[in-house]
Amino acid sequence: MELRIVAPGRNRLRVPRAAASLVPLFCTNTAMAAPQDKCRSARLLVFAFVLLALSACTSVTEIRIHNASKLDFADIEVAGESYGELAAGATGEYRRVTLRGRYAALSFTADGTRVTGQTLSFGAPRFTWRIDVVDLAKGWLDIEIVRDRDEPG
């Protein structure tokens, strides 16, 4: 949803409704600057705010998988990154993934069944996901998120 602000003799400015309250603050006619300069500044401010908000939504995190189940995992994917295969009881290597927000999608194949899920990774740059299959037919998993030390190794 957007709000149109129309000023006499000027082009229309389209801004999101949440940012619309900022534009009149900067587009008032004062003796200090021309109205066009203030409106241009308001547009730049809104644009910078949107870019900052979008860049804060993504982060690079290192995640590794520990297969705590009795089944082998194949075609493992976390946040779109391929992790390959992982035998029962094994722990894979850390892989860098780009998270949009703090949730990451997980999917893998175990015993011919494709299992998908989603988990939260928040507060540290490295994690180990300890995954156990509770009920393969229903797709129920037990996922423990372990925040690992920041230093490699």
Side-chain angles (χ1 to χ4, degrees):
M1 178 175 263
E2 61 184 32
L3 176 70
R4 291 184 185 184
I5 299 173
V6 181
R10 297 191 196 140
N11 292 332
R12 293 181 177 173
L13 171 66
R14 295 180 184 181
V15 295
R17 186 171 292 280
S21 61
L22 295 175
V23 176
L25 178 69
F26 292 102
C27 288
T28 57
N29 193 3
T30 64
M32 292 182 66
Q36 293 85 3
D37 292 339
K38 286 202 163 249
C39 285
R40 187 175 301 125
S41 296
R43 287 185 213 135
L44 287 174
L45 179 67
V46 169
F47 180 72
F49 176 75
V50 168
L51 281 179
L52 180 64
L54 289 176
S55 67
C57 294
T58 61
S59 64
V60 176
T61 304
E62 291 184 344
I63 297 174
R64 69 179 175 179
I65 305 293
H66 172 72
N67 182 351
S69 75
K70 296 177 182 175
L71 303 171
D72 293 339
F73 295 167
D75 301 322
I76 304 169
E77 285 188 17
V78 175
E81 292 293 323
S82 176
Y83 277 64
E85 299 178 356
L86 196 58
T91 301
E93 296 293 321
Y94 285 103
R95 303 235 180 173
R96 295 175 62 90
V97 296
T98 301
L99 301 180
R100 285 161 183 72
R102 294 295 181 190
Y103 287 91
L106 164 72
S107 65
F108 62 89
T109 303
D111 201 26
T113 303
R114 191 72 178 165
V115 180
T116 60
Q118 183 172 322
T119 188
L120 176 67
S121 295
F122 183 72
R126 300 181 86 182
F127 296 94
T128 298
W129 290 4
R130 186 187 163 278
I131 302 172
D132 193 7
V133 177
V134 176
D135 187 340
L136 185 61
K138 294 180 181 178
W140 291 353
L141 303 174
D142 178 21
I143 304 174
E144 179 184 2
I145 308 299
V146 179
R147 294 179 185 157
D148 295 331
R149 295 186 322 227
D150 292 347
E151 57 269 4

